[in-house]
């Protein structure tokens, strides 16, 4: 996924000491997108994660041209329980959502559930409002449909957020909580 946080500057947001580092993997991404298109892959789906956020995005043939063809779909899953309790939005959300190809962003903890059927894929972003104590209810924050042979996302559910609305509302933990207690 390409992230643009300023009109003249392409950046990849990397959470290292809360800095934003210049985007370094443009050539690799370009090779992958070229492989999809050159081989005529009908609608590739990219699954990734480990950035403590949920995201869903259209992968464009040319990220500099918002009107360019959507060649694949990307789902990024958060962690189920690491770190603090999540929130529906955090300080990076508005920067990510400024990118037209990004269709969903959320920083609650949870996972992405997929239902794969020959003619379509349904993805459900399942989230919990807290992880620092036991008993958190799970809910579906958003769902997307990707049809076979038609890359891209169609949002089919956008449910109200659960738990905290913004990350600055989250107090630090008083003491670690073990899920095994």
């Amino acid at each position: 996924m390409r992230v643009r946080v300023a009109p003249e500057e392409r950046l990849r947001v990397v959470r290292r000491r809360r800095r934003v580092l210049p985007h370094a993997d443009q050539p690799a991404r370009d090779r992958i997108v070229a492989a999809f298109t050159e081989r005529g892959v009908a609608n590739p789906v990219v699954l990734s994660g480990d950035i403590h956020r949920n995201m869903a995005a259209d992968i464009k043939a040319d990220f500099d041209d918002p009107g360019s063809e959507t060649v694949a779909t990307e789902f990024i899953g958060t962690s189920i329980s690491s770190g603090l309790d999540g929130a529906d939005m955090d300080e990076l959300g508005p920067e990510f959502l400024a990118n037209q190809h990004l269709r969903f962003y959320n920083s609650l903890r949870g996972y992405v559930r997929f239902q794969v059927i020959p003619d379509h894929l349904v993805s459900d972003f399942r989230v919990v409002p807290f992880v620092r104590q036991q008993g958190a209810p799970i809910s579906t924050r958003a769902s997307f449909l990707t049809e076979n042979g038609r890359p891209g996302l169609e949002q089919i559910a956008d449910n109200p957020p659960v738990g905290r609305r913004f990350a600055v509302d989250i107090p630090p933990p008083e003491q670690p909580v073990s899920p095994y207690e």
Side-chain angles (χ1 to χ4, degrees):
M1 172 186 338
R2 158 132 354 127
V3 177
R4 184 182 297 263
V5 296
E8 62 284 333
E9 187 175 10
R10 290 182 205 143
L11 297 176
R12 177 175 178 223
V13 176
V14 178
R15 306 278 301 192
R16 288 193 191 138
R17 295 187 191 96
R18 303 181 68 79
R19 291 183 297 166
V20 177
L21 300 178
H23 186 65
D25 60 354
Q26 175 77 33
R29 186 182 47 253
D30 289 346
R31 284 192 304 274
I32 291 170
V33 169
F36 291 156
T37 55
E38 289 167 7
R39 289 172 177 80
V41 179
N43 61 335
V45 174
V46 177
L47 308 176
S48 55
D50 197 26
I51 63 167
H52 300 257
R53 285 158 184 79
N54 288 307
M55 291 186 241
D58 293 330
I59 297 178
K60 297 293 195 175
D62 180 359
F63 283 99
D64 290 327
D65 177 7
S68 73
E69 178 184 13
T70 298
V71 298
T73 307
E74 182 174 17
F75 298 98
I76 301 169
T78 187
S79 59
I80 186 67
S81 64
S82 64
L84 299 175
D85 295 340
D88 194 55
M89 186 61 57
D90 65 9
E91 71 279 1
L92 295 176
E95 293 177 18
F96 274 101
L97 288 169
N99 295 276
Q100 293 180 359
H101 62 279
L102 186 67
R103 307 288 298 283
F104 176 73
Y105 180 95
N106 173 274
S107 64
L108 286 167
R109 302 293 172 250
Y111 58 92
V112 186
R113 175 179 65 188
F114 295 97
Q115 180 182 19
V116 182
I117 297 174
D119 64 340
H120 67 271
L121 170 99
V122 174
S123 57
D124 298 313
F125 285 89
R126 306 279 288 163
V127 297
V128 293
F130 54 86
V131 296
R132 293 188 289 169
Q133 59 187 14
Q134 295 179 2
I138 189 140
S139 63
T140 299
R141 176 61 178 87
S143 297
F144 293 88
L145 173 72
T146 302
E147 295 182 61
N148 188 19
R150 198 174 137 225
L153 294 160
E154 176 186 340
Q155 190 161 7
I156 57 175
D158 184 13
N159 299 310
V162 295
R164 308 254 180 192
R165 301 282 191 234
F166 198 78
V168 295
D169 298 338
I170 301 171
E174 292 175 21
Q175 61 184 17
V177 176
S178 169
Y180 304 107
E181 292 178 356

